[in-house]
Amino acid sequence: MSEKRRKRSYDEIQSLNAQVEICSSLESDVAEDNFNKPGLSKMYVKQSTRGRIDFITPKLAAALDKCKISDRDAVHRLISTAEALGEDVEKLIINRSSIQNSHIRFRKERAEKIRNNYLVTIKDSVVIHWDGKLLPSLTGQKSVD
């Protein structure tokens, strides 16, 4: 019984070695073909292209903020949504750092708008209320802080 197991495992190892040799020879052929082309090296056989379309809007960034979705979770959700809508994900800029940068940029813009709106209203008049409350004095004739 053990002799059969040894023979079977030996045959499996031999078949795996043969498959590895075939795969490595195919990879070397592809690498050599690509190496002969100008501008390519053996190390980088397939070069991926980066996305160029920035599609994150202030409304999308605000929705991600409101739902408390982290940048890393947003990457997964945006990729799956884009694929479901039939968009080519390779053309879109979807990564954690670009989402984080767009969040920062839109928050700064929103804060600047609020600051500018506040400066316009501050020119009219401002009433400041402190923590104190006016109560009648012990004599009851006037109110004191």
Side-chain angles (χ1 to χ4, degrees):
M1 188 72 153
S2 64
E3 189 63 38
K4 287 182 181 180
R5 279 191 217 149
R6 277 193 209 131
K7 183 164 179 17
R8 192 173 358 137
S9 64
Y10 179 77
D11 291 340
E12 287 176 6
I13 290 172
Q14 291 301 324
S15 66
L16 289 174
N17 286 338
Q19 289 174 358
V20 168
E21 287 176 14
I22 291 171
C23 291
S24 64
S25 67
L26 289 175
E27 288 175 358
S28 65
D29 291 343
V30 170
E32 287 174 9
D33 290 343
N34 286 331
F35 183 70
N36 294 331
K37 293 180 183 177
L40 295 177
S41 66
K42 279 186 179 181
M43 188 175 212
Y44 301 105
V45 174
K46 180 184 175 189
Q47 292 189 1
S48 62
T49 59
R50 297 182 78 177
R52 301 277 185 216
I53 301 171
D54 187 12
F55 67 98
I56 298 177
T57 63
K59 193 171 185 177
L60 177 60
L64 293 172
D65 277 345
K66 184 177 180 178
C67 296
K68 297 181 181 178
I69 298 174
S70 69
D71 297 333
R72 292 179 184 192
D73 287 340
V75 169
H76 299 295
R77 292 177 187 203
L78 291 174
I79 287 174
S80 60
T81 303
E83 287 176 347
L85 294 174
E87 290 292 323
D88 185 14
V89 181
E90 296 293 324
K91 294 179 182 178
L92 302 175
I93 300 174
I94 304 177
N95 57 51
R96 188 195 62 78
S97 60
S98 65
I99 292 172
Q100 184 180 25
N101 292 337
S102 63
H103 278 262
I104 292 169
R105 184 177 71 240
F106 293 136
R107 286 179 192 141
K108 282 183 182 177
E109 290 173 3
R110 198 174 332 137
E112 191 65 34
K113 284 181 185 177
I114 291 170
R115 190 175 301 117
N116 289 337
N117 290 341
Y118 179 72
L119 290 176
V120 170
T121 59
I122 204 167
K123 291 178 183 175
D124 299 333
S125 65
V126 176
V127 176
I128 299 175
H129 293 278
W130 295 99
D131 234 356
K133 183 175 181 180
L134 296 176
L135 298 171
S137 67
L138 294 175
T139 60
Q141 295 181 359
K142 65 178 186 175
S143 298
V144 291
D145 194 11

